[in-house]
Amino acid sequence: MSDKQLMRSNDRMVAGVAGGLAEYFDIDPTLVRILFVLLTLFGGGGLGILTYIVLWIIMPEPPVAV
């Protein structure tokens, strides 16, 4: 069983959503960011922005290192 947990990343440009998804799926964060841009431009009605905002709300913050 995997110990992975989906959460926002400290590797962030806006809110860490793309970085968190990239870490979870073990892919380059740039690819996830490009996907959000493409969804926004071609998704009809700003699907990329809406998806990003929903994920921003539901994805937890990463734990704070002390």
Side-chain angles (χ1 to χ4, degrees), residues 5-59:
Q5 183 178 4
L6 181 60
M7 63 179 58
R8 288 188 263 163
S9 174
N10 290 322
D11 174 21
R12 56 180 63 188
M13 293 187 110
V14 178
V17 172
L21 288 170
E23 288 172 7
Y24 185 80
F25 292 110
D26 197 28
I27 58 175
D28 187 1
T30 305
L31 295 175
V32 179
R33 292 178 181 122
I34 290 171
L35 178 63
F36 277 118
V37 169
L38 291 174
L39 278 173
T40 298
L41 295 175
F42 304 113
L47 183 61
I49 293 173
L50 179 62
T51 304
Y52 192 93
I53 291 170
V54 169
L55 289 173
W56 187 353
I57 292 168
I58 64 172
M59 286 175 70

